[in-house]
Amino acid sequence: MNLRVLVVDDTIMYRKVVGDILAEMPGVEVVGTANNGRIALTRIASLKPDLITLDVEMPVMDGLETLQEIQKNHPDVGAIMLSSWTKRGSDITMKALELGAFDFIPKPDAEAMQANVQLLKGALLPRIKAFAKRLELKLLLKQTVRPSGAASPAAPKPVVTTAAPSRRTGKSKAVAIGISTGGPNALTKMLPQLPRLGVPIFVVQHMPPVFTKSLAESLDAKCQYEVREAEHNETVRPDVIYIAPGGKHMRVAAGQGGTKVIQITDDPPENNCKPAVDYMFRSVAREYGALSTGVIMTGMGGDGTLGLRVLKSFGAVTIGQDEESCVVYGMPKMAAEAGVVDVVAPLQSIASEIVRTVR
């Protein structure tokens, strides 16, 4: 079956460009367009889309208000947000992702129109493929649902997945987390569960500039930890969560008097990512060795697997999110298949697994 998509944007140009890009994709059917959220809501019932591309900033009803109504009345319809690079656009986008939007795409701002079209195409294609795969998995799960009246299955428990888990002695002095598609929603659920543990937490969330600042501000309001976008050469402190700034790499380095400092660099992308999880994981392995915890969570691609291999070679404990709770089971899957994950855990158990490694 074709993936049915409704394109919602207040500008004719973006409706046309996004619609044309989607129409060229095999297995995708553009079922309609709308120029604001209110009109989109009236068309969902008749057009029955599986997915909506949803502009963040629109008159009459903006993307966030529209998403809230969709989730209330049409919970099976997914959304990919299209956002401007403004602070307001990034703040609204972050709220949408925390509510459960599948992903977002910043609207390109190249001078040449054709360059913008190619950037949009390159961003849309992998997200559409990932959403279609997720939808297929959900349909398969529905077909195998337990009969009415059957006992509910027990809550999933973490399982050891490597033959030789870490045999280190001592507690973790740092936690490093790599995450991508589905990250803001997952982090919003997981990080507030963490008590203050007296250790720093380093997070690479694949995002462009501006958006990581909004993510840090949003999480800071919800967590017991202080959450901040990391700055170059700042001293690492306990009970702080450092978010790598979009468009830059983040690494940990040795400072004066036994301290650790954060370095923000403009080194080339790794795995087509900047910031890259592998880049950050390697530095944590170098600075904290066996006394660290590496966590890989929902996301497309394989960024983080090589970094986890380095962490594990030093004796660190490694944790991966399970398939069922991932928005996209890409990064954790590759790490698990490579044998560099000690524990596979559902999202609701990751915080307790982190606490276990520190305490």
Side-chain angles (χ1 to χ4, degrees):
M1 292 176 62
N2 284 343
L3 182 73
R4 298 170 61 82
V5 184
L6 175 66
V7 177
V8 185
D9 200 289
D10 68 327
T11 64
I12 246 180
M13 181 194 73
Y14 267 101
R15 291 199 300 275
K16 166 88 170 129
V17 169
V18 173
D20 287 350
I21 290 171
L22 293 171
E24 292 176 1
M25 294 183 186
V28 176
E29 178 184 359
V30 178
V31 295
T33 63
N35 62 5
N36 65 59
R38 187 169 295 168
I39 293 173
L41 291 172
T42 65
R43 293 184 177 170
I44 289 176
S46 59
L47 297 175
K48 296 184 173 20
D50 302 303
L51 176 68
I52 292 181
T53 64
L54 190 55
D55 188 16
V56 165
E57 298 185 79
M58 297 182 292
V60 184
M61 181 180 277
D62 69 23
L64 184 62
E65 294 168 324
T66 307
L67 178 66
Q68 289 170 326
E69 288 300 311
I70 290 171
Q71 293 188 329
K72 189 188 303 179
N73 301 308
H74 308 281
D76 290 334
V77 178
I80 293 177
M81 313 303 292
L82 268 70
S83 174
S84 67
W85 289 82
T86 64
K87 182 67 166 66
R88 170 179 158 77
S90 67
D91 287 345
I92 296 174
T93 301
M94 215 48 55
K95 290 175 183 174
L97 293 170
E98 289 172 1
L99 283 172
F102 180 73
D103 205 353
F104 80 104
I105 296 170
K107 289 185 172 180
D109 57 358
E111 290 184 10
M113 181 62 188
Q114 192 54 39
N116 286 327
V117 171
Q118 289 306 312
L119 286 168
L120 261 180
K121 188 173 184 178
L124 271 170
L125 183 59
R127 287 165 173 82
I128 294 293
K129 284 183 175 179
F131 182 84
K133 189 171 183 180
R134 180 193 182 206
L135 184 62
E136 183 181 354
L137 179 62
K138 286 172 74 174
L139 290 173
L140 284 171
L141 288 172
K142 278 186 178 179
Q143 290 170 4
T144 56
V145 71
R146 295 174 67 87
S148 177
S152 298
K157 295 181 180 180
V159 293
V160 175
T161 59
T162 59
S166 172
R167 294 181 181 177
R168 69 173 187 181
T169 57
K171 307 169 184 176
S172 288
K173 293 184 178 179
V175 177
I177 299 171
I179 193 165
S180 187
T181 312
N185 181 264
L187 292 173
T188 298
K189 292 176 179 175
M190 189 274 283
L191 291 177
Q193 294 180 38
L194 288 174
R196 285 176 171 262
L197 297 167
V199 302
I201 297 177
F202 307 101
V203 178
V204 166
Q205 159 75 64
H206 292 155
M207 271 186 177
V210 183
F211 295 90
T212 45
K213 180 77 169 174
S214 294
L215 174 64
E217 291 172 353
S218 176
L219 289 171
D220 185 58
K222 301 175 176 71
C223 294
Q224 297 180 50
Y225 269 65
E226 176 189 347
V227 186
R228 53 184 286 112
E229 187 181 58
E231 296 179 4
H232 185 57
N233 278 341
E234 69 173 305
T235 301
V236 172
R237 294 180 286 124
D239 293 327
V240 179
I241 296 172
Y242 297 96
I243 307 286
K248 301 285 185 180
H249 288 304
M250 176 176 74
R251 67 187 177 198
V252 187
Q256 293 182 342
T259 63
K260 308 292 183 188
V261 296
I262 287 176
Q263 294 179 339
I264 305 301
T265 78
D266 202 24
D267 290 339
E270 295 188 14
N271 310 305
N272 296 314
C273 299
K274 195 174 180 178
V277 179
D278 279 338
Y279 189 95
M280 183 266 288
F281 276 173
R282 289 196 305 271
S283 72
V284 171
R286 182 180 62 246
E287 295 303 324
Y288 293 96
L291 303 183
S292 58
T293 301
V295 185
I296 193 76
M297 296 176 67
T298 176
M300 289 187 283
D303 188 25
T305 295
L306 294 178
L308 281 181
R309 189 182 299 280
V310 176
L311 278 164
K312 195 155 172 52
S313 72
F314 277 82
V317 176
T318 57
I319 300 166
Q321 188 175 345
D322 75 348
E323 180 174 9
E324 191 173 342
S325 65
C326 280
V327 169
V328 177
Y329 189 54
M331 289 159 56
K333 179 183 181 182
M334 287 195 68
E337 289 178 348
V340 294
V341 174
D342 294 320
V343 175
V344 173
L347 178 60
Q348 65 266 29
S349 300
I350 289 177
S352 61
E353 290 300 312
I354 290 172
V355 170
R356 192 193 313 273
T357 69
V358 175
R359 287 184 171 170

